[in-house]
Amino acid sequence: VSTVLKNYLNDQKLAAMATAVVGTSEKLAKLIEAGNFHDALVRCGKENILSKKAGRRAILVCVVKSNANLGLLNIEVEDAIERITSVLGS
């Protein structure tokens, strides 16, 4: 978590907000029959926030610079999710 987030959010607030974003995004995808939800990307001026389910019991939240390569980020995120689900189960 970036220094900026550490100054303003505690871990529980970040987790609650990420859960709300993912849950709302899943409901929206279902409502408009867009197919299965994959991830939520919040694009901001300085940093972007990517939230993605890691199995049924976890959400992975990444805060990256706004100019980060999203393709490479997705590769790293998928690898991390595999490791998370191997520990927690799917």
Side-chain angles (χ1 to χ4, degrees):
V1 177
S2 72
T3 305
V4 173
L5 284 178
K6 287 180 184 178
N7 290 338
Y8 295 103
L9 290 177
N10 65 35
D11 295 342
Q12 290 178 339
K13 285 183 183 178
L14 177 61
M17 288 180 184
T19 300
V21 168
V22 168
T24 302
S25 298
E26 283 182 306
K27 288 177 185 175
L28 178 60
K30 186 175 183 177
L31 178 70
I32 65 171
E33 299 176 353
N36 292 333
F37 168 81
H38 293 284
D39 58 49
L41 176 64
V42 179
R43 295 179 54 180
C44 305
K46 294 180 183 177
E47 295 179 311
N48 294 333
I49 306 149
L50 177 67
S51 301
K52 189 166 187 159
K53 290 179 81 173
R56 293 183 312 216
R57 298 172 37 187
I59 295 173
L60 179 61
V61 180
C62 301
V63 179
V64 298
K65 300 274 185 204
S66 62
N67 62 351
N69 183 318
L70 296 180
L72 292 176
L73 174 63
N74 278 312
I75 291 170
E76 294 295 326
V77 164
E78 288 302 322
D79 289 344
I81 287 173
E82 283 182 29
R83 291 191 303 275
I84 291 166
T85 56
S86 73
V87 172
L88 298 178
S90 54

